[in-house]
Amino acid sequence: MKRAISAADRAVSTLLGQQGDLITRSQALAAGLSKDALRHRLRADGPWRIVLPGIYLAHNGGLTIGHREIAAVLYAGRGCVITGPAALRRQGVRVPLSDTVDVLIPATTRRLSTGFVQIHRTTRMPDRPWRLDGIRWAPAARAVADAAHGDLEPREVRALVADAVQHGKCTIGQLAAELRAGPPQGSGALRAALEEVAAGVRSVVEGDLRKLIMRSGLPEPMYNPRLFVGDAFLAKPDAWWPDAGVACEVDSREWHLSPDGWERTQARHARMSAHGILVLHYAPRRIRSDSTAVASELRATLAAGRQRPPLTIRAVPVR
C-alpha cells in the first residue's frame, strides 16, 4: 500500500525545492520530521547524505558548484556573504578551478571552516552585497581582495585583477580602497597586481612582459596606448616606446585572440610597419623561458629606433 504523504513530507519537499535539494537538520525537524525519520533517511543506503555538519543533500548524486554554494550558506547561517573566487565566478570573472567556497561572517559569529567551506570572520562585512538565487555575494572588488589574500599564486592574482578591471566588474580605485581597508598581511600580490593594472597592463602575459622589462633595466614603455596618425586610429599595441618608435605585441590566443584573430594581428602589424614602427612579437612561453634573449632583442631594437628621427605618432594612454 502506498504511504500517505504527510504534512511534514510536504513541508520538507517545499524546502528542498527552494534550496536545490539541500536542507539543514534544524529545518527538517522544524518541518515535522522526527529524529527517527531523519536518521532513517540518512542511513548508509538511504536517500539522503550528509554534505556538511547538519546539512543534508536529498539524493546520492554528486555536488554541483551550485550545491556547494547553497550548502555553504546554509552552514554559515543568516547574514553570511560568499566572497573570493566563488563570487567572482558568478560575476563572469575567470578564476582558478576550486571546490572551496569562501564565506564572510560577522566577527561575533561562531562558526569554523569545514569540508569545502572556508569561513572568514570579519569586522568589515560588505555594505552592499548583491543578491542572486537567494544568496548574498560580495562585490567584485571585495571578492578580488579576499581571493588575493588566499592561497593563489601571484600570477593568478594578477589574472583576477586584470580580468575584473578589463571587463568592468570593478575599478582600480575600488580595488585600491579594498587594499587600504583590508589586512596588510598577505597583500603583496594584490599590491603588485594593482601597480601593473594602473600602468596599463591588462593581462597575465602582459604582466610577465612588464616584469621582464623591469628586471632587465629596460625603460618603462606605455602599456596598451592607442596610437594615432593625425586623427586616424592606427593600433593599440601591448607596449609602446614613443621615443624609439618601437611596439611590442604578446601573441597569445588565450588572452588576445579568437581563432581567426591571427589575421587581424598581421593586419595590425602591417599598418604599424607602414608608418615606420618597429614591431616585435613574442609568445608568452618565450617571455617566461627565454627572458635574457627577449631583453637583448628589445634593447637592440630600442637602440636602433632611437637612431632615427622621431615618428609623428600620437599616443593616448590607457584609462
Side-chain angles (χ1 to χ4, degrees):
M1 180 180 295
K2 188 175 182 180
R3 184 178 70 86
I5 297 175
S6 67
D9 291 330
R10 287 193 293 271
V12 166
S13 179
T14 297
L15 281 169
L16 293 174
Q18 295 170 344
Q19 298 175 170
D21 289 332
L22 288 153
I23 194 169
T24 70
R25 176 180 175 83
S26 60
Q27 285 176 336
L29 295 176
L33 281 188
S34 67
K35 292 182 180 179
D36 285 342
L38 185 56
R39 278 194 294 269
H40 184 72
R41 296 188 184 201
L42 290 168
R43 68 189 187 278
D45 61 344
W48 287 14
R49 67 186 180 96
I50 301 171
V51 295
L52 290 170
I55 311 296
Y56 313 131
L57 180 65
H59 61 72
N60 289 311
L63 284 177
T64 65
I65 291 174
H67 282 138
R68 289 190 175 87
E69 293 166 347
I70 296 171
V73 169
L74 292 175
Y75 171 76
R78 296 183 63 181
C80 72
V81 175
I82 293 183
T83 189
L88 292 171
R89 185 188 305 113
R90 280 288 182 143
Q91 297 184 64
V93 178
R94 288 179 289 188
V95 296
L97 293 176
S98 173
D99 292 336
T100 300
V101 181
D102 295 276
V103 184
L104 298 170
I105 63 172
T108 54
T109 303
R110 291 181 174 271
R111 189 72 76 202
L112 298 176
S113 299
T114 185
F116 52 81
V117 180
Q118 186 69 39
I119 294 292
H120 304 273
R121 297 172 64 203
T122 180
T123 58
R124 200 172 59 89
M125 292 293 290
D127 291 333
R128 296 176 181 174
W130 57 284
R131 295 177 180 269
L132 180 67
D133 297 335
I135 295 175
R136 303 192 331 154
W137 309 83
R142 176 61 182 272
V144 169
D146 288 339
H149 280 88
D151 298 328
L152 298 182
E153 296 294 326
R155 291 185 84 251
E156 293 174 323
V157 174
R158 183 191 299 161
L160 285 185
V161 170
D163 202 57
V165 171
Q166 187 174 6
H167 290 91
K169 306 303 180 182
C170 59
T171 65
I172 296 173
Q174 290 169 334
L175 287 169
E178 287 293 342
L179 180 64
R180 291 191 298 269
Q185 185 176 2
S187 65
L190 178 58
R191 191 178 306 277
L194 272 181
E195 290 175 357
E196 290 182 350
V197 173
V201 171
R202 287 294 181 263
S203 73
V204 168
V205 291
E206 289 174 16
D208 289 339
L209 175 64
R210 183 174 188 260
K211 189 174 180 180
L212 180 153
I213 289 168
M214 296 178 69
R215 188 172 57 240
S216 303
L218 292 166
E220 187 89 352
M222 298 174 69
Y223 294 97
N224 288 291
R226 290 177 296 150
L227 304 184
F228 292 84
V229 177
D231 293 328
F233 174 75
L234 177 61
K236 186 179 179 182
D238 296 327
W240 167 247
W241 286 267
D243 63 321
V246 172
C248 182
E249 297 269 65
V250 183
D251 297 330
S252 168
R253 288 183 182 274
E254 177 183 2
W255 289 101
H256 292 294
L257 302 177
S258 58
D260 62 346
W262 294 108
E263 291 185 6
R264 292 196 296 272
T265 296
Q266 294 300 316
R268 186 167 64 251
H269 179 112
R271 288 197 306 273
M272 288 191 285
S273 296
H275 286 87
I277 295 174
L278 304 178
V279 187
L280 296 171
H281 292 266
Y282 293 106
R285 181 177 297 180
R286 189 170 180 224
I287 290 173
R288 294 192 296 269
S289 64
D290 197 15
S291 59
T292 300
V294 170
S296 295
E297 291 166 11
L298 284 170
R299 186 173 287 107
T301 306
L302 290 173
R306 293 191 185 102
Q307 294 176 4
R308 312 172 300 169
L311 301 180
T312 56
I313 292 175
R314 179 168 56 94
V316 178
V318 68
R319 295 174 181 174

